[in-house]
Amino acid sequence: MPEDRIAVMEQVLHTISGPDDPLLSRFIAAQSAAGLPQQLSEIARVWRSEVPGMTGAGLALVLATVRSLPRPRPAQVSVSGPMNASMPARLTSGVAVEVIRSAKTSLLIASFAAHGARNVVTEIGRAVDRGVRVDLLLEESTQASVAFAALPDDVHVWHRVESSGVLHAKLIAADRHTALLGSANLTDRALSDNIELGVVLRDPHVVEPLIEHFHWLMAPANSIMRPA
């Protein structure tokens, strides 16, 4: 149920004595939003069966407590190339900078190729200046590390140990709370002109396992990634 609907219901509940109060029935019947009457009826059913002695004010307090708890922000789509005005998406170049800018302690960035992407490189440099640890996992065969040559020496660059495969992942992860996953490499064309698709995750429960996977890849004992 949308947060604004929950807030309205809290106000109404303060005037209701219990789950069988006619005021509650009338309130439910007056709702016109698709699916909302069914949601409210289900709340009333559970209220009646589980805690029939609870007052409306008591239930309002429960809803207010739940509403105050932090909730993960929904995933957000990012695209490169032509933009559909009716689609709620943002350009990959802007999203990449925003994610980097949100980092307070660590940045983990993976890309198969890199070229140009001056705004991204500049933002990484600013992150380093404010004390953020930066790990760049780059494909050595594409010479991607050249794009980041101007960054300070304390940026950690990683290449894959000799194998039959390549590092093809594309990821920008800030701390353990936000990650941009997608098809775009860190190149000017991929961030703006190519037809690319990505998604921004802002749920730490989803982002943390991604970070842990890459930390496992970088662990010296696993001989998968090596410092450049």
Side-chain angles (χ1 to χ4, degrees):
M1 186 183 299
E3 189 169 337
D4 59 338
R5 301 284 185 181
I6 297 176
V8 170
M9 188 171 183
E10 288 170 21
Q11 295 175 358
V12 173
L13 284 171
H14 281 288
T15 68
I16 292 172
S17 60
D20 294 313
D21 191 319
L23 286 174
L24 178 60
S25 299
R26 289 199 290 271
F27 173 71
I28 294 173
Q31 304 308 306
S32 58
L36 185 57
Q38 291 82 359
Q39 288 179 315
L40 295 176
S41 295
E42 180 62 14
I43 290 173
R45 184 193 68 77
V46 174
W47 184 7
R48 186 178 301 108
S49 63
E50 299 292 337
V51 283
M54 179 182 286
T55 65
L59 183 56
L61 179 60
V62 171
L63 292 177
T65 301
V66 171
R67 190 160 59 89
S68 69
L69 296 175
R71 289 187 286 177
R73 294 167 63 185
Q76 176 189 40
V77 175
S78 69
V79 299
S80 299
M83 295 282 286
N84 180 350
S86 65
M87 182 179 178
R90 295 178 56 201
L91 195 63
T92 306
S93 56
V95 174
V97 167
E98 180 182 276
V99 173
I100 295 169
R101 193 171 290 165
S102 72
K104 292 181 171 56
T105 60
S106 64
L107 269 172
L108 195 154
I109 299 174
S111 188
F112 172 74
H115 183 268
R118 184 172 301 173
N119 288 344
V120 168
V121 175
T122 298
E123 206 60 50
I124 294 172
R126 289 172 178 164
V128 174
D129 290 342
R130 62 178 184 268
V132 174
R133 176 189 168 101
V134 178
D135 288 286
L136 298 176
L137 287 75
L138 305 170
E139 172 55 35
E140 188 172 19
S141 66
T142 65
Q143 298 183 330
S145 60
V146 173
F148 305 99
L151 291 176
D153 292 339
D154 49 354
V155 170
H156 305 269
V157 178
W158 301 80
H159 294 318
R160 184 166 182 177
V161 172
E162 285 290 331
S163 73
S164 58
V166 297
L167 187 150
H168 203 253
K170 291 92 176 179
L171 167 71
I172 300 177
D175 302 334
R176 291 175 173 263
H177 56 67
T178 305
L180 169 61
L181 305 174
S183 61
N185 286 302
L186 294 179
T187 68
D188 291 329
R189 292 185 64 182
L191 292 173
S192 300
D193 300 326
N194 293 350
I195 295 178
E196 308 276 3
L197 182 64
V199 63
V200 183
L201 306 173
R202 291 189 172 89
D203 183 349
H205 292 96
V206 178
V207 175
E208 285 186 6
L210 292 174
I211 303 300
E212 289 303 320
H213 174 65
F214 278 92
H215 284 175
W216 177 82
L217 292 174
M218 292 185 289
N222 297 321
S223 299
I224 297 171
M225 305 295 298
R226 59 175 174 79

